Amino acid sequence: QVQLVESGGGLVQAGGSLRLSCAASGIFLRINAMNWYRQAPGKQRELVAGISSGGSTNYADSVKDRFTISRDNANNTVYLQMSSLKPEDTAVYYCNANLLSLNLRRMDYWGKGTLVTVSS
């Protein structure tokens, strides 16, 4: 059973910072891409940032230069450092990982989400 567990969400004032973590556990051969998505109330889930197994990154335009995604392959963990937070960053943040299973299938897994609330 593969699990993704997020942590680090909370309440922060506008202009502040938070660091989200997501650790993958279970049995698999390899983690490919790892991503952070978010879903604000009444809105669709959107991709915030992604990082490949080789370390290439991509960001939504709305978070470029404010958020940084990184990963620790030895510990199967992905991070999202969020700075200069704005009220519009308020959302539930979800971790997503594409894994290679023991039978060589690519599988997508999701965490349960962590709430980030930015007050003005």
Side-chain angles (χ1 to χ4, degrees), residues 6-116:
E6 302 106 332
S7 61
L11 174 64
V12 64
Q13 287 190 328
S17 299
L18 279 176
R19 188 193 197 206
L20 305 183
S21 301
C22 171
S25 62
I27 300 175
F28 46 85
L29 286 180
R30 186 179 71 234
I31 301 178
N32 298 314
M34 302 186 83
N35 307 290
W36 286 98
Y37 285 76
R38 68 185 180 187
Q39 187 166 18
K43 295 189 176 182
Q44 288 189 330
R45 191 173 297 190
E46 63 173 352
L47 177 64
V48 175
I51 185 167
S52 70
S53 57
S56 298
T57 60
N58 61 281
Y59 297 93
D61 287 343
S62 59
V63 306
K64 277 181 184 176
D65 301 323
R66 298 190 299 122
F67 291 10
T68 301
I69 189 170
S70 60
R71 63 190 286 171
D72 177 353
N73 291 328
N75 291 300
N76 297 325
T77 300
V78 63
Y79 304 97
L80 186 67
Q81 178 67 47
M82 305 184 294
S83 303
S84 301
L85 283 161
K86 304 176 181 180
E88 51 263 43
D89 294 318
T90 295
V92 177
Y93 284 71
Y94 296 91
C95 175
N96 163 263
N98 181 267
L99 308 180
L100 188 64
S101 67
L102 294 182
N103 59 0
L104 304 182
R105 292 179 62 190
R106 288 177 175 265
M107 308 284 290
D108 258 353
Y109 290 90
W110 292 86
K112 293 183 178 180
T114 184
L115 177 63
V116 172

